[in-house]
């Protein structure tokens, strides 16, 4: 009886919920899966589109070569001198990743369906050009009716080229799709679902003219990259003043049949474009640059030129000359720059002068200013995503920041970097207290525009009092008066008298600057390299009160600051401004004795003086990850200023400060501070005005 009920229930669930996996195991299996395991990924470029479509780029040139049948060959003879005048009449082209007719193309697939492995199939995997069979050269063996076996089909490029272009020698360009999959019913005209499409872009280049250097108006419509100069760097050179023919969006020209190296008049049928520049370089003049010289491939961005136009790993003080060629998506090298091409305008030169205006340069040392001398955070701080302070910040984000592109960028950056800090704040009581303190002035400023008054339900013991007020009584005894209730605000919130503790410590943050920064060992000045004449930084201070009898007046203050600026390096030998940039970080640390003339509780303005000793650390970091230069100097300082008490201006603020944050007072301060550098080689002596905030606990 029980068993029959279970069967009936199971049947009902099967009918009513046919997609429910656990109660319908037959349907949960879904459709059989055909899966691509691997293919001969030796192409110069592969671009995947979706899960089952691959754009693959292959090329061949008239400069023939041969290989082992498993890998492309290299038709670029390393002994060819790229400045040889005889090349101008040959239409020279080559490809270091060249395809040839006997090269094999293998595709491996597997299926979860046993029916995909029938017995007696000559070609278990097939290729199709539309509905036309592209027969594999070979297909690996398999066990019939056994799923999940890897099966490999292999074609030669002679077969593929014949099927798509009618030229078995692969000397004709084409763009077509080879569909590979399990042979449906062994019929050789269809494949099972789950096939893979290879969109083949094949380009053959018979010859090519040389680059019309300088991009003159007489250049052809398909000449690609056509202008550059070389600028020195530290252990590197840069390709500057770049130019390219963008008339046809860098499309490669049809150079299949031209008997002479003439300019193409139409785009190649393969749809292939020029996508990089191959820069050959070597020490000495142009005569030393060959196809065997070192080279780098620099990708072209049609909107901004070369993406990373630098050649690195060079020796300072040596002359390097550069000759480039256009490289298409199939790896074909053509449109070489040639120093003796009569179409050049201006002429190419392997002279190193004028610096940055020729195709040669001498790398040299680059110097900076310093010579080497040897809303995750708010939630974590307040402990609750629904805390009123967090809601204010969230409203500010939603109703202000996200309205502007710069605000959206800031929010995106904040979401990336803040989780790590938020986790540390959440697990540390002191960090939570510090973060809440720093966020308090922000939320106070934002509260009028982005704050919300909580709608608290009235407790039962207050309902009677509320009714008596409505009935016309001016004053009543409130149930919480004995517990310190001193005010009921119009928004329904309650203020209690709060006893202030004796000040134990203080936290401050301030905006400061270094009056000047004069590095005596540097031949250049700070303003000549960096964006400003002075260095600004933000400082954080902790104030300790070890003197019991002078607890409100005398304290010891430790501070840590950090500032940053960005500038360009210089080349001491040539006096040029370098391409390399520097980030300069300043990190001042100091300890000070600090005295406040704070003698009575209602004193709003409190004079201050201070003196101390510190250390200014300097870190100059180059943007190419070269060695960081370090320097620093000890200093002393004297200061005088005033502090203004927010609590004493608005005593009611004390109630929320003490209750919500444990804060005794909140100060706005300004100081005039005099620095005295104690190191002759690093001079930053001078005065500055300092402004900031201090919180007493």
């Amino acid at each position: 009886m029980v068993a029959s009920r279970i069967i009936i229930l199971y049947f009902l669930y099967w009918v009513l919920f046919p997609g429910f996996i656990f109660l319908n195991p037959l349907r949960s299996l879904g459709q059989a899966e055909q899966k691509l395991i691997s293919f001969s990924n030796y192409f110069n470029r592969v671009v995947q589109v979706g899960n089952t479509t691959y754009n693959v780029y292959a090329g061949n040139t008239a400069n023939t070569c041969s290989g082992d049948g498993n890998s492309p060959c290299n038709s670029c003879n390393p002994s060819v001198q790229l400045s040889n005048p005889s090349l101008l009449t040959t239409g020279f082209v080559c490809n270091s990743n060249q395809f040839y007719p006997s090269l094999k193309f293998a595709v491996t697939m597997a299926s979860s369906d046993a029916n995909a492995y029938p017995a007696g199939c000559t070609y278990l995997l097939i290729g199709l050009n539309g509905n036309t069979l592209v027969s594999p050269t070979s297909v690996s063996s398999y066990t019939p009716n056994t799923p999940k076996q890897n099966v490999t089909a292999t074609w030669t490029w002679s077969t593929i080229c014949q099927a798509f272009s009618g030229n078995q020698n692969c000397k004709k360009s084409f763009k077509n799709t080879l569909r590979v999959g399990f042979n449906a019913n062994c019929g050789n005209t269809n494949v099972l679902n789950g096939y893979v499409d290879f969109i083949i872009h094949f380009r053959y280049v018979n010859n090519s003219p040389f680059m019309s250097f300088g991009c003159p108006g007489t250049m052809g419509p398909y000449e690609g990259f056509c202008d550059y100069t070389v600028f020195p760097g530290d252990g590197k050179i840069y390709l500057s003043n770049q130019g390219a023919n963008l008339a046809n969006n860098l499309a490669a020209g049809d150079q299949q049949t031209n008997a002479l190296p003439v300019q193409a008049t139409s785009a190649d049928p393969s749809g292939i474009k020029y996508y990089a520049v191959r820069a050959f370089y070597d020490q000495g003049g142009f005569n030393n640059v060959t196809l065997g010289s070192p080279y780098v491939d620099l990708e072209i961005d049609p909107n901004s030129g070369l993406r990373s136009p630098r050649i690195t790993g060079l020796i300072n003080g040596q002359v390097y000359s550069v000759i480039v060629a256009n490289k298409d998506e199939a790896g074909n090298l053509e449109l070489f720059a040639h120093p003796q091409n009569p179409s050049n305008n201006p002429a190419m030169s392997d002279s190193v002068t004028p610096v940055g205006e020729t195709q040669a340069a001498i790398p040299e040392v680059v110097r900076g200013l310093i010579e080497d001398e040897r809303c995750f955070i708010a939630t974590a701080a307040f402990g609750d995503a629904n805390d009123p302070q967090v809601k204010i910040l969230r409203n500010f984000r939603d109703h202000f920041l996200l309205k502007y592109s710069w605000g959206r960028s800031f929010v995106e950056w904040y979401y990336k970097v803040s989780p790590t800090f938020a986790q540390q704040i959440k697990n540390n009581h002191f960090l939570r207290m510090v973060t809440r303190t720093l966020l308090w002035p922000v939320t106070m400023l934002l509260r009028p525009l982005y704050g919300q008054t909580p709608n608290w339900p009235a407790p039962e013991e207050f309902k009677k009092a509320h009714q008596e007020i409505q009935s016309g009584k001016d004053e009543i005894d409130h149930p919480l008066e004995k517990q310190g209730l001193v005010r009921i605000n119009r928004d329904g919130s309650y203020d209690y008298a709060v006893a202030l503790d004796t000040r134990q410590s203080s936290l401050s943050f301030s905006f400061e600057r270094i009056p000047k920064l004069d590095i005596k060992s540097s031949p250049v000045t700070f303003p000549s390299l960096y964006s400003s004449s002075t260095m600004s930084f933000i400082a954080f201070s902790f104030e300790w009160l070890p003197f019991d009898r002078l607890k409100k007046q005398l304290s010891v203050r430790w501070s840590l600051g950090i500032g940053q600026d960005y500038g360009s390096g210089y080349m001491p030998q040539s006096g040029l401004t370098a391409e390399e940039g520097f980030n300069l970080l300043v990190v001042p640390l100091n300890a000070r004795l600090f005295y406040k003339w704070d003698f009575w509780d209602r004193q709003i303005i409190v004079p201050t003086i201070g003196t101390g000793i510190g250390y200014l650390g300097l870190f100059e970091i180059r943007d190419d990850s070269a060695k960081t230069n370090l320097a620093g100097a000890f200093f002393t300082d004297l200061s005088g200023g005033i502090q203004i008490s927010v609590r004493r201006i608005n005593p009611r603020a004390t109630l929320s400060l003490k209750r919500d944050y444990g804060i005794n007072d909140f100060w706005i301060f300004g100081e005039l501070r005099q620095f005295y550098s104690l190191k002759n080689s690093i001079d930053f002596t001078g005065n500055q005005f300092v402004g900031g905030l201090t919180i007493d606990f």
Side-chain angles (χ1 to χ4, degrees):
M1 185 67 176
V2 174
S4 63
R5 289 180 179 177
I6 293 175
I7 293 173
I8 292 172
L9 289 173
Y10 185 87
F11 175 77
L12 290 174
Y13 269 100
W14 191 88
V15 173
L16 295 175
F17 307 103
F20 195 81
I21 294 176
F22 298 107
L23 295 179
N24 186 9
L26 295 177
R27 296 194 179 195
S28 69
L29 291 175
Q31 190 176 17
E33 178 187 17
Q34 273 66 245
K35 182 179 180 181
L36 174 66
I37 304 301
S38 65
F39 63 92
S40 298
N41 194 4
Y42 43 45
F43 297 93
N44 186 69
R45 192 176 185 210
V46 176
V47 179
Q48 185 173 353
V49 182
N51 294 325
T52 59
T53 302
Y54 296 84
N55 282 281
V56 294
Y57 297 83
N60 188 18
T61 71
N63 196 8
T64 60
C65 61
S66 60
D68 60 2
N70 297 313
S71 302
C73 61
N74 182 1
S75 64
C76 297
N77 186 338
S79 63
V80 172
Q81 185 188 55
L82 294 180
S83 61
N84 189 332
S86 64
L87 293 179
L88 290 170
T89 60
T90 63
F92 182 74
V93 293
C94 69
N95 191 326
S96 58
N97 195 60
Q98 185 161 304
F99 284 45
Y100 48 93
S102 61
L103 179 64
K104 299 173 184 176
F105 177 55
V107 179
T108 301
M109 298 184 68
S111 175
S112 61
D113 186 0
N115 294 324
Y117 298 86
C121 241
T122 303
Y123 303 121
L124 186 62
L125 282 184
I126 59 172
L128 294 176
N129 175 15
N131 293 323
T132 303
L133 176 67
V134 182
S135 301
T137 305
S138 63
V139 178
S140 61
S141 60
Y142 64 95
T143 302
N145 303 314
T146 302
K148 299 182 179 180
Q149 296 180 75
N150 289 351
V151 179
T152 300
T154 303
W155 294 262
T156 63
W157 277 95
S158 175
T159 301
I160 296 172
C161 292
Q162 177 66 35
F164 291 127
S165 70
N167 187 311
Q168 65 179 0
N169 294 320
C170 295
K171 293 189 175 184
K172 191 172 183 180
S173 299
F174 64 87
K175 176 185 176 183
N176 218 320
T177 301
L178 176 66
R179 176 164 292 177
V180 179
F182 280 86
N183 192 348
N185 303 317
C186 294
N188 293 340
T189 59
N190 199 5
V191 292
L192 297 175
N193 289 333
Y195 52 78
V196 179
D197 283 341
F198 295 96
I199 303 175
I200 301 173
H201 304 256
F202 191 95
R203 181 169 182 245
Y204 173 70
V205 182
N206 183 52
N207 60 63
S208 168
F210 277 77
M211 178 187 300
S212 298
F213 181 78
C215 305
T218 56
M219 67 184 302
Y222 298 95
E223 287 211 28
F225 187 86
C226 51
D227 196 11
Y228 67 100
T229 58
V230 178
F231 191 84
D234 192 346
K236 66 177 76 68
I237 52 179
Y238 296 86
L239 269 63
S240 306
N241 302 318
Q242 306 149 20
N245 185 350
L246 302 178
N248 292 290
N249 198 24
L250 294 176
D254 185 351
Q255 300 282 168
Q256 299 180 78
T257 58
N258 291 337
L260 295 173
V262 297
Q263 297 173 348
T265 57
S266 61
D268 191 80
S270 64
I272 281 175
K273 297 181 178 183
Y274 299 115
Y275 92 105
V277 167
R278 177 162 291 184
F280 296 90
Y281 60 95
D282 220 323
Q283 294 184 21
F286 287 146
N287 290 338
N288 293 340
V289 183
T290 69
L291 286 177
S293 295
Y295 66 84
V296 293
D297 288 339
L298 307 174
E299 189 174 348
I300 302 173
D301 184 336
N303 298 316
S304 60
L306 301 180
R307 295 187 189 277
S308 181
R310 64 180 66 180
I311 301 173
T312 60
L314 308 184
I315 302 173
N316 286 336
Q318 298 293 322
V319 175
Y320 287 89
S321 298
V322 180
I323 294 179
V324 305
N326 281 267
K327 179 181 179 181
D328 70 15
E329 293 173 299
N332 296 315
L333 299 180
E334 57 189 305
L335 290 165
F336 283 79
H338 197 292
Q340 299 184 38
N341 187 356
S343 298
N344 291 347
N345 185 21
M348 295 178 64
S349 171
D350 56 7
S351 170
V352 295
T353 57
V355 177
E357 298 183 21
T358 67
Q359 288 66 57
I362 302 176
E364 64 175 276
V365 172
V366 171
R367 301 292 189 194
L369 184 67
I370 301 172
E371 298 295 334
D372 193 1
E373 296 184 345
R374 258 327 31 124
C375 285
F376 293 100
I377 293 175
T379 302
F382 291 102
D384 185 356
N386 293 316
D387 187 276
Q389 315 302 320
V390 180
K391 287 183 178 180
I392 291 173
L393 296 171
R394 189 182 300 124
N395 290 336
F396 176 65
R397 176 200 65 190
D398 296 340
H399 300 293
F400 181 78
L401 290 178
L402 295 181
K403 291 170 59 177
Y404 304 98
S405 59
W406 63 266
R408 291 190 292 271
S409 299
F410 171 79
V411 171
E412 182 179 354
W413 170 82
Y414 172 79
Y415 285 160
K416 290 179 180 178
V417 304
S418 61
T420 301
F421 298 104
Q423 189 62 37
Q424 297 176 3
I425 293 170
K426 181 179 179 181
N427 297 328
N428 188 298
H429 175 73
F430 176 75
L431 290 179
R432 289 201 305 273
M433 178 188 68
V434 171
T435 306
R436 288 197 302 268
T437 300
L438 295 176
L439 289 175
W440 180 82
V442 178
T443 57
M444 289 295 289
L445 291 173
L446 296 177
R447 185 184 297 276
L449 294 175
Y450 301 101
Q452 295 180 349
T453 301
N455 186 19
W456 300 105
E460 291 296 329
E461 60 266 29
F462 298 150
K463 289 183 178 179
K464 182 178 179 181
H466 181 67
Q467 292 169 357
E468 291 178 359
I469 292 173
Q470 289 183 332
S471 67
K473 292 185 179 181
D474 294 330
E475 295 183 4
I476 62 170
D477 294 330
H478 197 281
L480 295 181
E481 184 178 359
K482 295 181 179 180
Q483 300 180 26
L485 180 65
V486 295
R487 185 194 302 269
I488 300 177
N489 301 306
R490 291 185 178 183
D491 62 3
S493 61
Y494 300 93
D495 290 344
Y496 291 83
V498 179
L500 297 180
D501 299 329
T502 303
R503 184 167 70 111
Q504 299 294 327
S505 60
S506 299
L507 288 175
S508 303
F509 66 94
S510 57
F511 298 95
E512 307 185 21
R513 66 180 180 86
I514 298 172
K516 64 179 179 180
L517 189 55
D518 185 6
I519 309 296
K520 302 297 185 181
S521 61
S522 176
V524 294
T525 62
F526 176 80
S528 68
L529 293 187
Y530 289 91
S531 59
S532 58
S533 58
T534 60
M535 187 76 179
S536 300
F537 61 92
I538 185 170
F540 299 89
S541 304
F542 175 75
E543 195 172 337
W544 175 49
L545 295 93
F547 310 105
D548 291 338
R549 294 183 180 181
L550 297 170
K551 199 135 225 177
K552 293 175 62 176
Q553 288 83 30
L554 187 61
S555 61
V556 178
R557 178 176 288 189
W558 290 275
S559 67
L560 169 67
I562 186 167
Q564 182 270 342
D565 206 345
Y566 184 83
S568 298
Y570 76 98
M571 298 180 175
Q573 296 178 16
S574 60
L576 297 171
T577 299
E579 293 284 341
E580 291 90 339
F582 285 88
N583 274 294
L584 179 64
L585 299 180
V586 295
V587 182
L589 305 114
N590 75 318
R592 310 174 69 224
L593 282 175
F594 193 72
Y595 188 81
K596 299 167 63 175
W597 274 282
D598 186 8
F599 295 109
W600 65 90
D601 288 339
R602 295 183 181 274
Q603 184 179 349
I604 295 175
I605 299 176
V606 176
T608 65
I609 60 171
T611 184
I613 188 169
Y615 185 82
L616 181 69
L618 301 171
F619 304 83
E620 197 168 40
I621 306 167
R622 208 163 80 184
D623 60 7
D624 59 357
S625 302
K627 183 179 179 181
T628 299
N629 290 333
L630 310 175
F634 285 97
F635 65 88
T636 62
D637 68 10
L638 294 173
S639 67
I642 60 170
Q643 292 189 345
I644 300 174
S645 170
V646 175
R647 173 181 68 84
R648 296 169 188 179
I649 295 175
N650 181 9
R652 186 187 165 200
T654 307
L655 302 175
S656 60
L657 285 172
K658 181 62 180 176
R659 181 184 63 236
D660 297 338
Y661 305 101
I663 294 174
N664 280 349
D665 207 341
F666 182 77
W667 304 81
I668 300 172
F669 71 87
E671 294 178 357
L672 184 64
R673 187 175 299 175
Q674 177 73 33
F675 283 101
Y676 297 94
S677 174
L678 301 180
K679 189 173 185 177
N680 293 331
S681 61
I682 301 178
D683 184 16
F684 48 93
T685 299
N687 57 62
Q688 64 153 323
F689 177 80
V690 177
L693 304 172
T694 297
I695 299 100
D696 290 345
F697 297 95

